[in-house]
């Protein structure tokens, strides 16, 4: 290993470094000199948001505006949330607000399929793992049973497994191995079986959730052996054909499944995010070289190509075009074939949350999670059929993919990624819609999309019609490269943008936008954070990543600071409530905190709002060198925490947690 490689003690840190690779060399102009003029003035005049970093902003707005805003914001900040918040901190355990219980529902290695083997980390094998819960749970979706019932005590959970951390999974593996020197075929295949997704049936008994054993719905979807179809404009295209699949219509497996979504017809959407990480090989002589470079392919972060040619660009030059899509799964039919829906574009999809527009069409939002990448939207051609779910089978194959341009006047324009529109012609290498969706990033750049600070989860609020865009951070944005929608450079704390579609129409060509909060410590002038003044010392967060809107339309935000947690907030990640309306707008409150080294993923409410499922991903990995008393990288034998079992024979395990209120009430009441 080189010294540069030694820098990284975990795969999570590799991913962070990966996102630093500047693959987007767009020359799209930024709006640095207009940001303060517009952003600060609009927020101050609106008066709904207080400005804590007042000193930093005062020169940019008249003192009269500042005073007016302060009075308005501090007048009566009545929060929509009733719980008592918890404190920032970091330790080996998880924590939830007083009066609530946080119970582990399922962990890596627990049985999913009927007859699956009992978890035994001393005797891992591929066939056992294929029946067990995968690693690094991320997205969680809830589908009531029976479908359409709204049942909040019995349903299916659809859970993504994003990636693997060998150093915490395999006894004797040692620290993270950048050179893959200790990789074996068994380890690779177990890793691949740990990826993908799980469908489990869950039921609430006496207020506590349980996994239904031997469920007929139980399913594992993996990177190793799950056959999938490709559909939409790129399906069958020569650029998707391989020796393994000369049709370009079939693919084995899905990778890097981050967040996702549940459609109104009850299908489960799995977003393929950092797909580039899995490929190895040379780009020399590969006609896809420029395309691949735009996505950071090959990422060389996994050694699977040694044993599986579909990750080897030398053996299969087109293979990396078959990943980076949204995968649709019918959780109600475990025998169904998952489908990669190419109409939704190929990029590092963070999630795929959708809403039925007022005209009956589906509108789906998806962020491309990399520094300086874009926000996308898909509008279906056809209307959603809520009476007959089978009628929506091909709905995601037809529609219009667009990308967002954020202007300095607070407007947003959706630019259609349609073959023949603007520069998306043969002159620029776009010979069909297939080329447009395969190279969605390049197409978006040509149309003038706005490079954002890592768009992660994007969540439409069905109660208010607003849309919330989580922008995690962007340490690479220079102070001279800020714009109205990305107003800090460098931005290590992230921010949240609120979209308001024109006339409540999610399919409209335009929308308006506001920054809801600029994350980071409001008491630190250097952070130039923006919160409601009612936000207390433990109520702010850094690095918003996933989010959820509860049945009342209230926003909840999950964070992922990565190994930078010490600098970003000094606290472990967690879930915060965040007021969006009235005088309390922009006020946070910490509800749940993960154990050291973990990331908070998957917030998901039951339809009655009385359960919040969360996914604790990679406990004991991120930034454990800053964990007081530990201060080193974790291994299987020596982890920073053994959460959730705290059994000396067991490693830490990524787990899904069910949070309920002890009096049975609504979460956050
Ligand atoms: Fe998988 Fe962008 O988080
Ligand atoms: Ca995420
Ligand atoms: Ca993340």
């Amino acid at each position: 290993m080189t010294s540069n490689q030694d820098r990284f003690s975990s795969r999570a840190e590799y991913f962070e470094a990966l996102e630093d690779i500047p693959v987007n060399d767009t020359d799209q102009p930024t709006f640095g000199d207009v940001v303060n003029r517009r952003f600060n003035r609009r927020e101050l005049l609106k008066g709904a948001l207080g400005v804590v970093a007042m000193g930093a902003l005062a020169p940019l707005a008249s003192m009269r505006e500042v005073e007016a805003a302060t009075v308005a914001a501090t007048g009566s900040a009545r929060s929509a949330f009733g719980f008592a918040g918890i404190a920032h901190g970091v330790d080996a355990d998880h924590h939830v607000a007083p009066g609530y219980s946080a119970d582990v529902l399922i962990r890596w290695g627990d049985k999913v399929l009927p007859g699956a083997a009992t978890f035994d980390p001393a005797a891992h094998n591929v066939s056992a793992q294929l029946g067990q819960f995968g690693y690094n749970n991320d997205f969680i979706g809830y589908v009531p049973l029976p479908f359409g019932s709204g049942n909040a005590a019995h349903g299916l959970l659809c859970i993504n497994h994003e990636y693997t951390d060998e150093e915490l999974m395999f006894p004797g593996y040692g620290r993270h191995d950048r050179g893959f020197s200790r990789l074996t075929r068994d380890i690779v295949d177990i890793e691949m079986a740990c990826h993908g997704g799980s469908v489990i049936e869950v039921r609430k008994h006496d207020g506590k959730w349980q996994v239904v054993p031997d469920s007929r719905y139980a399913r594992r979807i993996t990177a190793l052996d799950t056959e999938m179809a490709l559909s939409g404009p790129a399906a069958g295209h020569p650029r998707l054909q391989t020796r393994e699949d000369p049709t370009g219509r079939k693919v084995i497996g899905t990778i890097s499944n981050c967040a996702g979504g549940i459609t109104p017809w009850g299908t489960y959407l799995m977003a393929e995010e950092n797909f580039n990480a899995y490929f190895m090989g040379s780009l020399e002589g590969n006609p896809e070289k420029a395309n691949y470079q735009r996505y950071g392919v090959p990422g060389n972060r996994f050694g699977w190509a040694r044993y599986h040619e579909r990750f080897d660009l030398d053996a299969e030059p087109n293979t990396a075009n078959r990943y980076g899509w949204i995968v649709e799964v019918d959780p109600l039919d475990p025998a169904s074939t998952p489908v990669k829906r190419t109409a939704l574009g190929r990029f590092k999809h963070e999630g795929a949350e959708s809403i039925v527009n007022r005209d009956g069409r589906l509108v789906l939002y998806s962020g491309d999670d990399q520094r300086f990448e874009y926000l996308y939207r898909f509008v279906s051609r056809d209307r959603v059929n809520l009476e007959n779910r089978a009628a929506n089978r091909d709905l995601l194959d037809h529609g219009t993919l667009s990308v967002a341009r954020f202007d300095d006047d607070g407007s947003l324009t959706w630019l259609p990624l349609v073959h023949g529109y603007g520069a998306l012609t043969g002159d620029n290498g776009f010979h069909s819609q297939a080329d447009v969706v395969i190279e969605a990033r390049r197409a978006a750049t040509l149309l003038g999309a706005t490079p954002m600070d890592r768009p992660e989860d994007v969540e439409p609020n069905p109660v208010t019609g607003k849309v919330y865009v989580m922008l995690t951070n962007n340490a690479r944005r220079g102070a001279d490269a800020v714009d109205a929608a990305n107003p800090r450079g460098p931005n290590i704390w992230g921010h949240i943008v609120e979209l308001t579609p024109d006339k409540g129409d999610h399919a409209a060509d335009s929308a308006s936008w506001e920054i809801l909060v600029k994350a980071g410590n409001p008491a630190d002038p250097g952070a130039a954070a923006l919160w409601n003044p009612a936000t207390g010392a433990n109520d702010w967060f850094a690095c918003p990543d996933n989010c959820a809107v509860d049945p009342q339309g209230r926003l909840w935000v999950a964070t992922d600071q990565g190994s930078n947690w010490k600098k970003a907030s000094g606290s472990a990640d967690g879930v915060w409530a965040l007021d969006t309306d009235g005088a309390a707008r922009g006020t946070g409150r910490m509800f749940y905190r993960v154990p050291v080294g973990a990331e908070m993923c998957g917030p998901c409410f039951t339809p009655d709002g009385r359960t919040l499922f969360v996914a604790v991903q990679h406990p004991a990995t991120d930034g454990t060198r800053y964990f007081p008393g530990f201060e080193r990288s974790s291994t299987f034998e020596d982890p920073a925490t053994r959460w959730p079992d705290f059994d000396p024979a067991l490693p830490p395990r990524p787990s899904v947690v069910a949070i309920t209120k002890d009096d049975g009430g609504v979460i956050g009441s």
Side-chain angles (χ1 to χ4, degrees):
M1 292 195 296
T2 68
S3 58
N4 186 44
Q5 289 163 344
D6 285 338
R7 237 166 17 102
F8 306 109
S9 59
S10 72
R11 180 154 280 134
E13 293 186 18
Y14 279 140
F15 276 148
E16 288 161 30
L18 194 70
E19 285 155 342
D20 272 338
I21 297 168
V23 291
N24 188 359
D25 59 357
T26 176
D27 57 359
Q28 168 71 11
T30 58
F31 311 98
D33 54 354
V34 295
V35 55
N36 291 322
R37 190 171 72 234
R38 184 229 150 222
F39 166 59
N40 295 317
R41 225 167 252 271
R42 276 169 68 96
E43 282 166 351
L44 289 165
L45 289 170
K46 217 175 153 182
L49 270 176
V51 178
V52 178
M54 203 70 80
L57 299 181
L60 304 162
S62 76
M63 283 316 293
R64 218 171 122 197
E65 289 169 354
V66 172
E67 285 160 13
T70 305
V71 169
T74 56
S76 69
R78 177 171 296 184
S79 172
F81 301 96
F83 68 92
I86 60 171
H88 283 192
V90 58
D91 60 37
D93 212 344
H94 66 164
H95 301 273
V96 69
Y100 290 82
S101 293
D103 301 309
V104 173
L105 176 71
I106 190 166
R107 297 156 290 196
W108 169 49
D110 285 349
K111 293 180 185 186
V112 171
L113 299 185
T118 300
F119 181 67
D120 179 0
H124 283 310
N125 67 77
V126 180
S127 64
Q129 183 59 60
L130 285 169
Q132 297 168 340
F133 196 62
Y135 206 76
N136 275 348
N137 33 219
D138 197 303
F139 174 76
I140 304 172
Y142 180 87
V143 178
L145 287 175
F147 176 72
S149 66
N151 193 340
H154 183 203
L156 301 178
L157 287 187
C158 304
I159 302 151
N160 281 353
H161 302 295
E162 186 176 15
Y163 68 99
T164 44
D165 292 295
E166 300 89 47
E167 72 274 22
L168 288 167
M169 295 168 62
F170 298 99
Y173 193 86
R175 298 198 190 286
H176 188 72
D177 172 20
R178 180 68 179 84
F180 312 119
S181 60
R182 299 186 292 281
L183 219 52
T184 63
R185 173 78 191 230
D186 271 352
I187 287 177
V188 166
D189 286 2
I190 292 166
E191 283 187 272
M192 292 174 75
C194 282
H195 277 64
S198 293
V199 178
I200 58 173
E201 183 179 349
V202 292
R203 194 188 287 272
K204 204 175 180 186
H205 285 290
D206 297 332
K208 295 292 182 188
W209 286 91
Q210 295 172 359
V211 178
V212 175
D214 301 328
S215 168
R216 69 185 177 91
Y217 297 105
R219 182 169 192 182
R220 277 303 324 280
I221 292 157
T222 77
L224 182 67
D225 68 348
T226 306
E227 292 186 14
M228 308 196 164
L230 287 150
S231 74
H237 192 277
R239 296 178 75 180
L240 266 62
Q241 294 171 1
T242 60
R243 289 193 308 182
E244 186 177 59
D245 168 34
T247 71
R249 294 179 181 277
K250 291 186 295 188
V251 58
I252 307 287
T254 179
I255 46 176
S256 207
N257 303 97
C258 191
I262 299 292
T263 64
W265 56 96
T267 57
Y268 159 32
L269 301 180
M270 309 170 72
E272 295 187 325
E273 193 195 21
N274 292 306
F275 66 95
N276 60 314
Y278 297 77
F279 298 96
M280 301 177 87
S282 168
L283 296 186
E284 291 316 308
N286 190 325
E288 299 293 337
K289 180 176 180 177
N291 161 30
Y292 285 173
Q293 286 177 328
R294 184 71 172 80
Y295 292 89
V297 172
N300 296 305
R301 262 60 183 183
F302 291 80
W304 299 359
R306 286 191 184 169
Y307 304 103
H308 297 274
E309 287 194 340
R310 63 178 175 278
F311 299 101
D312 181 356
L313 298 168
D314 297 329
E316 294 279 20
N318 286 338
T319 187
N321 282 336
R322 293 150 64 83
Y323 300 86
W325 304 105
I326 296 291
V327 186
E328 185 176 18
V329 178
D330 184 357
L332 295 166
D333 178 5
S336 60
T337 301
V339 183
K340 296 195 180 189
R341 301 289 183 185
T342 68
L344 278 55
R346 173 173 164 271
F347 48 91
K348 294 186 184 178
H349 286 276
E350 172 76 18
E353 297 286 2
S354 61
I355 190 166
V356 179
N357 197 32
R358 63 185 190 191
D359 61 10
R361 292 184 292 170
L362 189 82
V363 178
L364 184 149
Y365 295 92
S366 193
D368 183 352
D369 183 10
Q370 187 149 359
R371 291 163 180 86
F372 303 110
E373 291 299 340
Y374 308 128
L375 170 66
Y376 294 82
R377 179 191 76 173
F378 175 82
V379 180
S380 68
R381 181 191 68 188
D382 303 323
R383 291 193 179 91
V384 177
N385 187 331
L386 294 172
E387 310 301 319
N388 174 16
R389 62 189 301 268
N392 305 299
R393 190 181 55 199
D394 298 323
L395 193 102
L396 297 179
D397 286 342
H398 307 285
T400 303
L401 182 68
S402 304
V403 66
R405 188 188 72 214
F406 290 79
D407 283 322
D408 62 302
D409 61 355
S411 67
L412 179 156
T413 303
W414 290 106
L415 308 164
L417 291 158
V418 173
H419 179 242
Y421 175 81
L424 308 184
T425 62
D427 289 348
N428 290 310
F430 295 103
H431 300 287
S432 67
Q433 186 62 18
D435 290 328
V436 174
V437 294
I438 291 168
E439 294 188 75
R441 283 184 169 182
R442 188 168 71 89
T445 298
L446 282 170
L447 295 187
T450 302
M452 307 296 287
D453 287 348
R454 290 187 59 194
E456 297 234 31
D457 224 350
V458 186
E459 189 88 26
N461 183 334
V463 177
T464 64
K466 309 274 187 186
V467 180
Y468 292 95
V469 183
M470 304 295 119
L471 296 157
T472 287
N473 55 46
N474 186 347
R476 295 299 176 95
R477 187 178 291 278
D480 58 349
V482 296
D483 60 45
N486 303 277
R488 287 180 294 182
N491 175 13
I492 67 165
W493 310 274
H495 56 288
I496 298 176
V497 170
E498 177 189 72
L499 310 184
T500 305
D502 278 359
K503 300 184 177 68
D505 180 4
H506 288 270
D509 293 338
S510 57
S512 58
W513 62 270
E514 287 285 338
I515 289 183
L516 174 59
V517 294
K518 290 194 286 180
N521 188 351
D524 173 10
L530 180 68
W531 297 90
N532 191 299
T535 295
N538 290 298
D539 298 340
W540 58 275
F541 53 76
C543 306
D545 182 336
N546 295 136
C547 64
V549 171
D550 71 19
Q552 298 178 45
R554 300 177 303 175
L555 182 63
W556 300 75
V557 177
T559 63
D560 174 17
Q561 303 164 98
S563 55
N564 201 34
W565 63 269
K566 183 74 178 172
K567 196 171 166 195
S569 78
S571 175
D573 285 316
V575 176
W576 278 258
L578 183 60
D579 277 294
T580 56
D581 296 302
R585 178 176 164 89
T587 311
R589 195 176 306 170
M590 191 173 197
F591 180 67
Y592 177 79
R593 201 175 88 205
V594 297
V596 61
E599 163 185 355
M600 185 80 278
C601 299
C604 170
F605 287 92
T606 48
D608 62 357
R610 292 171 195 271
T611 300
L612 171 61
F613 295 106
V614 292
V616 176
Q617 189 180 111
H618 60 70
T621 62
D622 278 350
T624 53
R625 72 186 73 169
Y626 306 118
F627 183 34
F630 188 75
E631 288 145 355
R632 56 191 182 272
S633 302
S634 291
T635 60
F636 181 95
E637 288 78 13
D638 177 34
T641 177
R642 292 188 187 274
W643 185 89
D645 304 300
F646 296 104
D647 178 334
L650 293 174
R653 294 203 270 173
S655 305
V656 171
V657 172
I659 300 174
T660 50
K661 198 174 182 195
D662 295 338
D663 67 5
V666 169
I667 301 289
S669 60

